Amino acid sequence: MGETVKKAAREICQSTKTIALTGAGISVESGIPDFRSAGGLWERFNPMEYGTIGAFQANPEKVWQMLQEVSDLLASARPNPAHTGLGRLQELGLLHTIITQNVDYLHQEGGATRVIEYHGNAKTLACIWCNQRYDSDELGGQIPPKCSCGKILKPDVVFFGEPIPIRALQESYELASSCRALLIVGTSGEVAPANTIPETAKRAGATIIEVNVEPTVLTEYLTDIFLQGKASEMVTELVSEVENMMVRN
Ligand code: APR
């Protein structure tokens, strides 16, 4: 793996604009299971019954059975070396922006300052009936949390069937079509429109570097440099190689 990590580090050092795309795999080592691997969330909760906006509108109490479990996991999760590693690359001026599909805020807690939350964030909630908004910590742990209008609140995360926040969509497209390198960490690449970001970057001539414990749909037809392994180990190796190269240059 040493040579492949060196190749990836060289790309990042030479690139004038690198962005990252991350998925649930980057937070697995922080104790948050991903969605589609063995033991993943969608193995335990049918996404058609718990993950669509229609399911939430029809039976919010039921959907909150899953949301409560997820929010407990998020509350105890801490950034792992993959999160802090990407934060370090930003600090070094070598990583422009992180586009994350995750709603766990661990990139920001890991020191990253420019993060696009493509699927929203679980720290705020909204009433989809009267549009009032709340911070999760002002609701005092009430489950399911209720709006002053009496309706059950929904976390500001994107459910299947909901649009991507427009600013996130536009900024991500602009970044993908102007970057020189894209670092993908821990996503299966199975969900649109997030999975069009690597394609857009590739079409713009960017080098695609992918970190995952196993090959994905992206690996076969898009990835230039594949770093197979756990995110915390691979990102740590990559960052230390980048720092070595910076010292040597
Ligand atoms: N290190 C690196 N990669 C890992 C690790 C790890 N420790 N653990 C798992 N992975 C990889 C898996 O092999 C898989 O390819 O992370 C990927 C996680 O894929 P998914 O579970 O499909 O998660 P993600 O790609 O983020 O899903 C996209 O789908 O369900 C919706 O809105 C949800 O944002 C989510 C979107």
Side-chain angles (χ1 to χ4, degrees), residues 67-216:
L67 292 173
Q68 181 180 2
E69 210 176 288
V70 173
S71 58
D72 292 347
L73 287 168
L74 297 187
S76 58
R78 292 292 162 269
N80 67 56
H83 298 107
T84 50
L86 295 188
R88 176 71 182 141
L89 286 180
Q90 279 201 340
E91 209 175 50
L92 292 167
L94 292 172
L95 181 57
H96 186 285
T97 297
I98 299 166
I99 304 167
T100 188
Q101 297 168 83
N102 304 341
V103 298
D104 54 31
Y105 206 70
L106 291 179
H107 282 299
Q108 293 92 330
E109 288 178 9
T113 50
R114 284 183 305 284
V115 179
I116 294 176
E117 295 173 316
Y118 203 79
H119 291 155
N121 182 307
K123 281 186 180 297
T124 53
L125 299 93
C127 178
I128 58 175
W129 287 278
C130 78
N131 291 325
Q132 277 190 79
R133 315 195 76 80
Y134 300 78
D135 278 347
S136 55
D137 47 21
E138 68 177 285
L139 293 161
Q142 177 197 29
I143 297 287
K146 290 202 172 142
C147 178
S148 57
C149 76
K151 296 282 189 182
I152 291 177
L153 295 168
K154 180 185 136 333
D156 278 338
V157 300
V158 177
F159 278 56
F160 292 114
E162 285 193 293
I164 302 298
I166 190 65
R167 266 197 62 202
L169 198 66
Q170 285 166 342
E171 281 178 21
S172 300
Y173 181 78
E174 277 150 29
L175 287 166
S177 40
S178 62
C179 70
R180 305 316 312 134
L182 169 66
L183 176 58
I184 305 171
V185 184
T187 182
S188 61
E190 306 226 357
V191 173
N195 63 1
T196 64
I197 292 168
E199 229 163 74
T200 304
K202 186 82 176 182
R203 231 180 294 122
T207 300
I208 311 293
I209 302 164
E210 184 186 8
V211 175
N212 199 305
V213 285
E214 60 188 20
T216 67

